[in-house]
Amino acid sequence: MVPVNWTNGTLEHSGLTYSSIDKLSISNVPTGSPRFWTHLVMAYVFSFWTCYVLKREYKIVATMRLHFLASERRRPDQFTVIVRNVPSDPDESVLELVEHFFLVNHPNHFLGFQAVYDANKLSKLVDEKKKMHNWLDYYQLKYVRDPSKRPTLKTGFLGLLGNRVDAIDFYTSNIERLAKEISVEREVIANDTKYVMPAAFVSFKTRWAAAVCAQTQQTRNPTIWLTEWAPEPRDVYWENLAIPYVALAVRKLISGVAFFFLTFFFMIPIALVQSLANIEGIERAVPFLKPLIETRFIKSFIQGFLPGIALKIFLIFLPSILMLMSKFEGFISQSALERRSATRFYIFQFVNVFLGSIITGTAFQQLNSFVHQSANDIPKIIGTSIPMKATFFITYIMVDGWAGVAGEILRLKPMIIYHLKNFFTVKTEKDREEAMDPGSISFNAGEPQIQLYFLLGLVYAVVTPILLPFIIVFFGLAYVVFRHQIINVYNQEYESAAAFWPDVHMRIIVALVVSQLLLMGLLSTKEAAQSTPLLVALPVLTIWFHFFCKGRYEPAFVRYPLQEAMMKDTLERVREPNLNLKGYLREAYLHPIFKAGDDDSETDEASEVEMVQKPELVPTKRHSRRHTPMSSIGSDAPLLNQPAPDL
């Protein structure tokens, strides 16, 4: 397609601001040219090839997911559902209601349940106690190194004000005080029904029974006794379990409104970034800036890299903000939080980075044409200028994509953060170990970024194909780097079994439809009346293809086949006829705060021993002791609620 676009002289006589790269775009093809048939044919080729690859990948991923679910070892979430919005009853407590409901409606399969408690206050006390322990360890080590002098500190603001006291005695007394408060709070939670939330983790004797309960409506009123698959124990986000179900709708509305305004007002810095990307257009409108920016080095830097760098700086804190909004919304699993954050991050980038850059960039770039031509010619100017925005996106891919992949393999940001922590906050070996923790890969930030490059590649594949080599280089580098990082560097916080794939598929379909509509609009401004109607079929066929894949493969991601559940149950009964399932599930969904003892160091040591003796859920070359110590392994401690008889 490059020769088809290049061998024209349309831009040279158009009066528009353009660069040499813009001659490779569809904007350089004259109005009404028969050459647009090439773009029409290539649009069909790209669309059908993309759909073919998507269908093949959907089938492969769905098959892998089902194979994984069928072949993996036993996990607590296979036998457990979470029931929410338990109705209130003046005569029975939540514990009694849950027990009676499932004994009556699932009499042959109900095994037991674990109530959900509002333990957020207790969790804060435990975290505060851990911090106090850490400071005590620091001052004790300091005293051991120099026994001639007892360490002291000031009790006021940031250790700068207040009375000076003995540091070891101060933290010892605070730890004793917090231990008493924790003990009292645990006793209050265990005995006061107001801390019991209208929700529970309900366990069944078989996978088949859990699948039936999770995937069916429990009562004639569809707003109560809501059941769904429980997340795996290490995936549970415990803080949100204490949110009343009736408050979730209000939180969702508030979060949606906040996201709308965040997306809308971010157009302002996007417009400023695009003003930097089009210096020539501003020189004509504001001539007094011309001497300052005519220097070759300054002009090249401002046009080439400054817009991409500025945009990257604006976006650097966005994933964290969106994650906080998702947590406020009330999702109960880490995977659900990341999926919602990823969806919003993609929408944000689509509106601001893609549409915002195209609209505001075109306005700044063709500012002189807008001023001196009639309003009837503005659509044609926009249609000609949109493909020319590929220059900005090429620099953005180089700055954000290529440099981002290089930064990922070098891990400069974690290294800088580690040294800052090591200098300012690391006081003990435990602090240093936490500072060196590599964390997990951030799906909520990385996946939408990759999806943006899919969008750019599909949109500009036909209109400005010179952008494709830059996209291909990015994906080649990203595949090698992220594969290495996932296997050898990052910890695995949870196992979602490819739950992200339906979202990935849908976003690629959206990108494909956007590319088709954009090409349709461009050809309409180019007076290609004969070829434009033939493009109408492409979005229709693409949407039909999406619904076909959704109906054919998506059930594998939202349902668990009863046949598969029965097969696994039958094999397990044959292989392990004496399995004590109640003992296995006893503490699987007990809040981590109730598992921890008063002595945190002993608990950590026990967790480490447990990790050495028992295997991970999904074996990897690295494992996290902080995130997956005892989340899905049963123990011999008593379950808080055991209403059903033994298996």
Side-chain angles (χ1 to χ4, degrees), residues 95 117 184-193 195-196 594 640:
L95 305 180
Y117 293 90
V184 171
E185 185 67 17
R186 279 181 178 158
E187 189 70 22
V188 169
I189 291 175
N191 298 321
D192 194 340
T193 56
Y195 286 92
V196 181
F594 296 111
L640 288 183

Side-chain angles (χ1 to χ4, degrees), residues 24 32 73 97 109 206 223 261 281 344 346 617 631:
L24 305 176
R73 62 174 69 94
L97 277 171
H109 304 284
T206 61
T223 63
F261 283 104
R344 285 181 168 167
Y346 178 75
L617 293 178
S631 300

